Amino acid sequence: MSNEPYLPARDVKVERAVGRFIIAWGALEREIDSAIHDLLFTNLSTGMIVTANLAMRAKLDLVHALFETLRCEDGAVWRPISEDWEARFDKLVNMTAKANAEARIPI
């Protein structure tokens, strides 16, 4: 028996798709981090400290909680949010959380 780890046969289409997924996931995570920084009304350095070691589920929970808190405060700092936009935001958070959970299922 070999001590080498098993690697499946190379499949360029699969490798390209996995690479594209990783790039897209990184872009999504960067956008969520940016939303957290904005919702905390902080600068980039402080925001990076807050998000640096958070798992995706924790980031989603944090951005959702910050959004909910600011949305409910009197004298909100932005224009009223439409019910449609709220529904799309909640759907996006839920879809991202689902994709994050499914990506962790062992093969």
Side-chain angles (χ1 to χ4, degrees), residues 29 32-33 36 50-51 53-66 97 100 104:
E29 191 165 13
I32 292 170
D33 287 355
I36 291 169
V50 171
T51 59
N53 292 313
L54 293 179
M56 179 58 83
R57 179 72 253 177
K59 289 179 182 186
L60 290 171
D61 290 344
L62 178 57
V63 74
H64 196 259
L66 289 167
N100 182 54
R104 299 188 183 283

Side-chain angles (χ1 to χ4, degrees), residues 15-63:
E15 291 171 355
R16 186 174 294 136
V18 169
R20 186 70 187 134
F21 173 81
I22 290 169
I23 291 167
W25 190 263
L28 174 64
E29 191 165 13
R30 194 170 48 254
E31 289 300 315
I32 292 170
D33 287 355
S34 180
I36 291 169
H37 306 165
D38 290 347
L39 291 168
L40 286 172
F41 299 100
T42 188
N43 62 40
L44 181 61
S45 298
T46 303
M48 288 173 60
I49 292 168
V50 171
T51 59
N53 292 313
L54 293 179
M56 179 58 83
R57 179 72 253 177
K59 289 179 182 186
L60 290 171
D61 290 344
L62 178 57
V63 74

Side-chain angles (χ1 to χ4, degrees), residues 39-107:
L39 291 168
L40 286 172
F41 299 100
T42 188
N43 62 40
L44 181 61
S45 298
T46 303
M48 288 173 60
I49 292 168
V50 171
T51 59
N53 292 313
L54 293 179
M56 179 58 83
R57 179 72 253 177
K59 289 179 182 186
L60 290 171
D61 290 344
L62 178 57
V63 74
H64 196 259
L66 289 167
F67 179 78
E68 289 292 328
T69 299
L70 292 175
R71 175 170 57 184
C72 296
E73 286 183 355
D74 290 333
V77 294
W78 54 65
R79 62 179 164 51
I81 298 167
S82 71
E83 289 182 15
D84 178 59
W85 195 95
E86 271 185 79
R88 289 191 345 234
F89 174 81
D90 290 337
K91 181 179 178 183
L92 176 63
V93 168
N94 291 332
M95 288 172 55
T96 305
K98 182 180 179 199
N100 182 54
E102 289 173 355
R104 299 188 183 283
I105 296 172
I107 299 172

